[in-house]
Amino acid sequence: MRSVMEIWRTLRSLRKRDELEAGLRDEIRFHIDQQTEKNIRAGLAPHEARRRALITFGGAESSKERVRDEIRTPVVETLVRDLQYAVRALRKNPGFTAVATMTLALAVGATASIFTVVQHVVLNPLPYPDSDRVITLDHSVPRQNVPRFTSMPPGLYFHYADRARTLAALALYRPSEMTITGHGVPERLPIGYTTPSLASVLRVAPARGRWFTSTEAEPGAPRVALLSHGVWQRRYGGDPNIVGKFITLGGVATQVVGIMPPSFAFPHSAVRVEVWLPDQLSRAAGFGIFTHFGVARLRDGVTVDDARAELTRLIGDVPQVYPGEPFAVGLVTTGGLTSVAITLKEATIGSVTRVLWILLASVGLVLLIACVNVGNLFMVRSEARQRELAVRRALGAARIRIAGQLLTESTLLAVVGGMIGLAVAWAGVRLLVTFGPPSLPRLDEVRLDPVGVAFTLALSTVAGLVFGALPLLHRVSFAAMLHDGGRGNTASRSRHRTRRLLMGGQVALALVLLLASGLMVRSFQNLLAVDPGFDSASALTFRVGLPQTEYTSRDAAATAHQTMLDRMKEIPGVIAVSASTCLPLAGGCMGNTMRAEGRVEPPGTIPPIVSFRAVAGGYVETMGMRLLRGRAIDRRDVEQRAPVVVINSALASAYFPHEDPVGRRVSFGRSDAWLTVVGLVANTTTRALNESTPAPKLFMPMSIAGGPGMPPTDLVSTGPDISVMTYVVRSITPPLSLVPSVRRAIDTIDAKLALADVKTLGDVLDRASAQMAFTMVLLAIAASVSLVLGLVGIYGVMSYIVTQRTGEIGVRLALGATPGSVATEVVRQCALVAVIGVLVGVTGGVAGSRFIESLLFQVSPRDPKVFVATALTLIVVTIVACWLPARRAARISPLEALRFE
C-alpha cells in the first residue's frame, strides 16, 4: 500500500510541475538578488556583484537542476517523458503506426479468441465441485473388437453399487425426450432420467426446491420433476411459486420439486437436458439392456486407475453372482468385458482437445509471422532514424536510454494493438460460439472473461517487447552515421542477412499453415464425396412422440403414426413420406444380438450386435436408399404385421457371406420368433461420414416392433420402441416451407403432439461434417492471413532494400548494366530466400504432420500432391511479390540515382 501511495503522490507532484518550476525560479532569483545587493554593499560594482552572486549559487540552471534532483522521481519522470516522446513519434508516422497496430491487433485478437475457446472447453474444470474426481463408467469388449462403449445395463450398476469400495457415489442416467403441454404450445423437450444419487456424484443442488428422494425413484411412485432454469423462464415466466405445482409432462401430471441453477448442464450429454425425472429402476431389470450411462465420484486418495482395476475385478464376479444372466455371463467369459473408466471431463471433451490445440498453434504461428512483420517494420524505421539516434548518442545519451526509448515506442504500439485486439477477440469469440459445430462440447460456456482479457493484453505486450528488441540486436557505428557521407550509406551485410532470415522464416511458417490447410481441404473433399447411402435433397425430417398414457398399445401407436403419414401425403408438394425409429447419422440407436437360422455359433461366443430400425411402409424409397436385392417394406407389411425384415450389406456380409440372404430367417435377442429377410439395401452411415466400418442394420415393420403397453408377441421385448418416430417428408417444394402444413396436419389428429428437431436431410449431412468443416475453415483463414502477412512483409522488405540500393543500382546502370539484369538479380536473391524458406517449411510440415493425422480422412499426412502444389504455389507467389520491387529497380534513372547519391 505504501508504494501505491508514493506513486499517487508522485503523479500529483507531476501535475503541479509547472507550479513547482515557477516557484523554483522565483526562489532562486530572490536569493541571487539578495546576494547581489550584499556584494554591492561590500563595494563591488553592480555588474561584478551580479557575476559573483551567480558564481556563488553555481548558475541558475545548475541550482535548479540540483533542486530538481532532490525532489523528482527519476524512473516515473523518465517513463512519462519516454511515453510523451513515443506518442509524438508515432503520430508523425501515421502509416507505419496504422499498419503495425492493425497487423498486431488482428493476430493478437485471433490468438486470444481461440485461446478463450481452449480455456473454457479444455482448461477450465467442469462446473461441478472437485470435478476431476468424477469418472464415467465406460466399458470395452476387446474380444468382440469393441474398444469402448459408454452405455451400461442397470444390473451392472447395482452390482457396482453393492460392492465397489473405490467409489464414494455412483449414479445412472439416460437421455430421452418428452412432450410438455400447458402454458403455451406443446413442446418436445430433452429430458434425463436419473437415479437420486446423481446429486451426490456431481455435488449439485437445485437453485430452488430440492433434489429427488430415494422413495420417488421406486417403481410406481408418483412422478416428480426438476426443471432447468431455461424452461422455468421460457414456459413459466420465472414463476417463483412453481415449486410444488403440477405440470403435464408426457400426458402425466408431474409435480415440480425443484429448479436447477442456470449454469447446470447434464453431464456427458450432447443435448442440454431441460427436465430431470427420477429413474424408477428395479433390480429385476437385469443385465440385458444397455440403455443407461454411468458416472461415479472417487473416494479421497483413490485414482482412476484404482477404480478401473476394482471395477474390472467386480466384472469378473458376475458369472458367479448372477448365473441366471446368460448375456452378461457371455460378455464376461467370452467377450472379456472390461472397465475403461475415464474422467468425466475427458469423456465430455473427447477428441476435440487435439483439434483446439492445433487451432491455437496455428493462430500462434500467425501471431509469430505478424511479430516478424512488425519487427521488420521497426528495423526499417530504426535505420531511417539512425542519424537522429547517432546525434542523441553523441550528445551524451546512454545506450540504455536509447534502447528504453525504442522499447517504450514498441510497447505503446503493442498496448494500443492489444486494446484493438480485445475488440477483435470479443467479435471472434461471438462468431465461434455462433457458428461453431454442435458437436463442440461446452460451447455455451465460452465467453471473453477477465482471464481472456489479461491474456490478450499480456500477449500484445510481450509481442511489443519482442519486435521492439529486434532493432537492438545490431550495434550501429554512430561515428559513421555522423560522417558527412553517412546519409548515403546502405545497410550492412548483417542487417541484410537478418532481414532475409526473417523473410525466409515468414515463408517457412506460412508454408506450414498452408500445408495443414491443404491437407484439411483434401480431407473435407473426401468427406463430402462419401456416399451416405441416402438422398439428402429436398427432404424434411422431424420427430413426433406419443404419450404412453393415451396411446397404450403398440397397435394404437402404429395406427396413430400411419394416420399422420396419410395426412402428410395430402399436403401439396409432398411426393413421399415415411418414418423410422432411427435415421442415418443419428447414432447406433437400439441394438441387440441376432441369430440366423441354420447358423451355429461356436460354443461360448456372443453373436454380433445388430442395430434395429422399426419403419413405416415406403421408408427405403422415401429415403432414397439403394435396394440391391428383393423388395422393401411396404404398407401392407405394416398393416398385416408381416414377420419380415430388410437388412443392409454389412449385416449380410457378417451372417450370409457369399450367399443370397433373401429368404433366410433371423431372430434376435431371446426371442424364438423368426423373421424372413425380404430385401437387401446398401449400407448407410451410422454415426459419422468418416466411419471406417459400416454397422450391421436390420429394418422391420413398425407394427411388430415395441411400443406402449408391450405387444402380445415377444418381439417387443427386444425391438425398438415406436412411441417416438422420426418422419421423413420428401417434396418438390423447399422442405422447410412444409413445416406449417405439417403442424396443421398433426393438429387435426392430436393437438397435444409436438414437433422436435425439425431440419432437412441436408442439415443432417452438414452437421455430420461440421467439425471437420469448422477446423478446415479456421486453418484456411489462418493460412490465408499468414500468407498475406508474409507476402506483404516480403514486398515491404524488398522495396526497402531496393530503395537503399538506389545509388548502387544507378552506378551499375550507368556502367552498362541492363534493366533486365538488375531486375533478375533482385528476383534471384528473393527467389533464393523463398526456396530456402520453402525447404525449411517442408521439413517443419513433415515433422508436424503427425499432429493433425488424426483429423484427416483418406489423406496421408505427407501427401506428396499437397506438399508439391503448396510449395510451388508459395514460391511463385513469393517471386511475384518480389518482382514488383524488382521492376521498380529496373526503371531507376541512372542520372537521378547518381544525383541522389
Side-chain angles (χ1 to χ4, degrees):
M1 180 61 70
R2 181 180 301 172
S3 61
V4 175
M5 295 304 297
E6 289 176 357
I7 294 174
W8 171 248
R9 286 195 295 269
T10 300
L11 292 177
R12 291 187 61 186
S13 68
L14 289 174
R15 292 180 182 177
K16 299 180 180 179
R17 179 173 178 175
D18 292 340
E19 298 177 7
L20 290 173
E21 288 284 342
L24 181 60
R25 286 194 301 271
D26 293 341
E27 184 70 17
I28 292 176
R29 188 181 300 114
F30 171 77
H31 286 288
I32 292 176
D33 291 343
Q34 289 289 99
Q35 184 63 40
T36 301
E37 292 177 3
K38 184 178 178 180
N39 292 340
I40 291 174
R41 288 194 299 270
L44 295 176
H47 176 73
E48 183 63 18
R50 181 73 176 179
R51 190 180 70 81
R52 294 283 182 92
L54 290 174
I55 292 174
T56 300
F57 280 92
E61 290 303 321
S62 299
S63 300
K64 284 193 286 185
E65 189 63 32
R66 286 197 302 271
V67 175
R68 289 194 193 104
D69 289 340
E70 295 177 2
I71 64 174
R72 69 184 176 182
T73 53
V75 175
V76 176
E77 185 172 331
T78 299
L79 178 61
V80 172
R81 288 179 177 177
D82 285 349
L83 285 174
Q84 292 174 342
Y85 184 84
V87 170
R88 290 195 300 270
L90 293 177
R91 288 177 60 185
K92 288 180 180 178
N93 296 274
F96 162 81
T97 303
V99 171
T101 302
M102 294 310 300
T103 298
L104 185 63
L106 290 175
V108 168
T111 305
S113 59
I114 299 296
F115 170 79
T116 300
V117 177
V118 172
Q119 172 203 346
H120 286 276
V121 175
V122 179
L123 301 180
N124 285 358
L126 296 180
Y128 317 119
D130 298 324
S131 61
D132 60 319
R133 308 291 298 163
V134 182
I135 63 172
T136 62
L137 303 179
D138 296 349
H139 299 84
S140 70
V141 188
R143 297 174 195 165
Q144 293 287 330
N145 295 321
V146 182
R148 179 181 298 276
F149 60 93
T150 56
S151 59
M152 62 183 294
L156 194 56
Y157 161 76
F158 288 116
H159 182 61
Y160 289 160
D162 294 340
R163 296 167 177 81
R165 298 294 176 262
T166 58
L167 306 180
L170 66 161
L172 279 187
Y173 69 93
R174 60 183 175 93
S176 184
E177 60 180 33
M178 197 172 286
T179 302
I180 187 170
T181 53
H183 292 84
V185 298
E187 185 178 359
R188 195 75 178 167
L189 296 178
I191 66 170
Y193 288 98
T194 180
T195 56
S197 55
L198 184 66
S200 300
V201 173
L202 301 181
R203 293 182 181 175
V204 296
R208 292 173 178 265
R210 60 174 177 82
W211 192 259
F212 309 127
T213 65
S214 57
T215 303
E216 292 165 341
E218 294 178 356
R223 182 188 284 179
V224 296
L226 280 147
L227 302 182
S228 71
H229 185 272
V231 166
W232 177 49
Q233 293 289 333
R234 186 173 68 249
R235 292 195 69 89
Y236 304 102
D239 180 7
N241 300 316
I242 189 67
V243 176
K245 293 183 178 181
F246 284 84
I247 62 175
T248 303
L249 194 62
V252 177
T254 305
Q255 186 180 26
V256 178
V257 297
I259 307 295
M260 297 305 295
S263 61
F264 179 71
F266 206 63
H268 201 195
S269 179
V271 180
R272 195 179 185 94
V273 174
E274 300 280 17
V275 180
W276 291 265
L277 302 172
D279 202 351
Q280 299 177 347
L281 290 174
S282 170
R283 288 180 176 266
F287 286 78
I289 303 178
F290 285 67
T291 55
H292 291 71
F293 302 91
V295 289
R297 178 172 288 273
L298 300 174
R299 292 188 184 277
D300 293 339
V302 174
T303 66
V304 178
D305 292 336
D306 295 335
R308 194 182 300 124
E310 184 193 37
L311 296 178
T312 298
R313 180 180 58 78
L314 291 176
I315 290 172
D317 297 337
V318 167
Q320 291 74 36
V321 179
Y322 300 96
E325 293 283 354
F327 182 74
V329 171
L331 275 180
V332 176
T333 58
T334 304
L337 182 66
T338 304
S339 170
V340 287
I342 57 176
T343 63
L344 180 60
K345 182 179 178 180
E346 185 180 351
T348 301
I349 298 174
S351 61
V352 76
T353 303
R354 177 179 289 269
V355 174
L356 292 179
W357 281 118
I358 289 173
L359 292 177
L360 184 60
S362 67
V363 294
L365 291 179
V366 173
L367 177 62
L368 187 57
I369 293 174
C371 288
V372 171
N373 253 353
V374 179
N376 256 332
L377 290 175
F378 263 83
M379 289 187 68
V380 170
R381 185 166 177 266
S382 68
E383 289 181 6
R385 298 173 61 189
Q386 288 303 324
R387 188 171 182 82
E388 169 204 340
L389 299 179
V391 171
R392 294 180 60 190
R393 182 75 178 92
L395 292 176
R399 291 183 182 274
I400 189 66
R401 286 290 297 114
I402 294 176
Q405 178 63 62
L406 294 177
L407 288 176
T408 300
E409 290 184 24
S410 65
T411 304
L412 176 62
L413 187 145
V415 170
V416 174
M419 299 300 294
I420 301 175
L422 274 178
V424 175
W426 178 84
V429 169
R430 292 291 300 271
L431 289 173
L432 290 173
V433 172
T434 302
F435 297 103
S439 59
L440 187 63
R442 309 182 68 185
L443 194 59
D444 56 335
E445 301 177 28
V446 177
R447 61 187 57 85
L448 188 64
D449 58 9
V451 175
V453 173
F455 175 83
T456 305
L457 296 179
L459 189 65
S460 61
T461 303
V462 172
L465 292 175
V466 170
F467 60 67
L470 288 178
L472 304 177
L473 298 179
H474 295 275
R475 292 183 177 270
V476 180
S477 174
F478 294 104
M481 291 304 302
L482 290 174
H483 192 271
D484 289 340
R487 58 188 173 89
N489 290 347
T490 59
S492 65
R493 287 187 177 183
S494 61
R495 286 183 174 270
H496 282 316
R497 190 181 306 114
T498 300
R499 282 195 293 266
R500 287 167 181 160
L501 179 63
L502 294 178
M503 288 168 53
Q506 288 177 310
V507 172
L509 293 175
L511 182 64
V512 171
L513 288 178
L514 287 170
L515 287 173
S517 176
L519 291 172
M520 288 303 301
V521 169
R522 285 288 307 276
S523 295
F524 190 66
Q525 291 174 338
N526 293 338
L527 193 69
L528 295 182
V530 170
D531 180 10
F534 61 90
D535 182 8
S536 63
S538 193
L540 180 73
T541 75
F542 53 87
R543 286 195 305 275
V544 175
L546 305 176
Q548 298 186 12
T549 54
E550 299 182 26
Y551 301 87
T552 56
S553 68
R554 179 200 63 190
D555 290 341
T559 300
H561 286 303
Q562 189 60 57
T563 303
M564 285 186 280
L565 290 170
D566 291 340
R567 294 290 173 86
M568 292 177 199
K569 287 180 181 177
E570 299 172 358
I571 297 175
V574 172
I575 56 177
V577 60
S578 189
S580 171
T581 53
C582 188
L583 287 185
L585 294 171
C589 305
M590 181 180 178
N592 208 328
T593 57
M594 192 190 83
R595 294 176 294 137
E597 188 177 30
R599 175 188 171 102
V600 179
E601 297 291 342
T605 61
I606 301 175
I609 302 295
V610 174
S611 182
F612 298 147
R613 277 103 168 108
V615 300
Y619 175 74
V620 170
E621 295 83 354
T622 303
M623 283 294 296
M625 298 166 60
R626 289 187 293 119
L627 183 64
L628 304 178
R629 192 171 290 116
R631 66 177 181 86
I633 293 173
D634 56 27
R635 180 169 182 166
R636 184 175 56 183
D637 294 325
V638 175
E639 293 175 344
Q640 296 178 356
R641 302 179 188 169
V644 297
V645 295
V646 170
I647 65 176
N648 71 344
S649 296
L651 192 152
S653 298
Y655 280 85
F656 311 106
H658 312 299
E659 60 180 299
D660 187 355
V662 175
R664 299 294 299 272
R665 298 202 304 170
V666 299
S667 65
F668 51 93
R670 304 177 187 175
S671 172
D672 292 328
W674 293 97
L675 308 174
T676 303
V677 178
V678 296
L680 175 68
V681 295
N683 294 325
T684 56
T685 49
T686 305
R687 291 182 173 86
L689 290 172
N690 59 349
E691 59 191 12
S692 56
T693 305
K697 297 186 184 70
L698 178 148
F699 305 85
M700 65 178 68
M702 63 179 177
S703 55
I704 66 171
M710 308 292 285
T713 70
D714 62 353
L715 288 176
V716 73
S717 62
T718 49
D721 185 357
I722 64 170
S723 297
V724 180
M725 297 283 283
T726 301
Y727 285 65
V728 181
V729 182
R730 191 169 295 278
S731 67
I732 58 175
T733 59
L736 291 177
S737 67
L738 299 175
V739 175
S741 300
V742 169
R743 175 69 265 177
R744 288 192 296 270
I746 293 177
D747 284 345
T748 61
I749 300 169
D750 190 340
K752 298 186 297 299
L753 301 180
L755 302 183
D757 201 16
V758 179
K759 56 181 179 290
T760 67
L761 280 182
D763 293 334
V764 173
L765 279 182
D766 291 341
R767 292 184 183 184
S769 59
Q771 182 165 313
M772 183 176 287
F774 175 75
T775 307
M776 179 198 67
V777 169
L778 291 186
L779 279 177
I781 292 175
S784 301
V785 172
S786 68
L787 179 62
V788 172
L789 289 177
L791 295 181
V792 169
I794 291 171
Y795 172 79
V797 170
M798 293 305 299
S799 295
Y800 179 70
I801 290 175
V802 168
T803 301
Q804 279 191 319
R805 296 177 60 189
T806 298
E808 172 199 339
I809 293 173
V811 171
R812 294 178 59 188
L813 291 172
L815 294 177
T818 63
S821 65
V822 171
T824 301
E825 176 63 19
V826 174
V827 172
R828 185 189 65 79
Q829 294 177 1
C830 185
L832 180 61
V833 172
V835 170
I836 294 175
V838 165
L839 292 177
V840 174
V842 168
T843 303
V846 171
S849 60
R850 60 187 180 90
F851 294 106
I852 68 169
E853 186 172 2
S854 62
L855 308 183
L856 304 179
F857 177 61
Q858 295 181 354
V859 176
S860 168
R862 297 172 180 82
D863 186 355
K865 294 182 179 178
V866 173
F867 273 69
V868 172
T870 304
L872 290 178
T873 300
L874 188 56
I875 290 175
V876 170
V877 173
T878 303
I879 291 176
V880 170
C882 297
W883 175 76
L884 297 175
R887 185 181 63 171
R888 181 162 57 86
R891 294 179 177 179
I892 292 177
S893 170
L895 292 178
E896 293 181 3
L898 293 175
R899 186 181 301 116
F900 173 81
E901 182 67 15

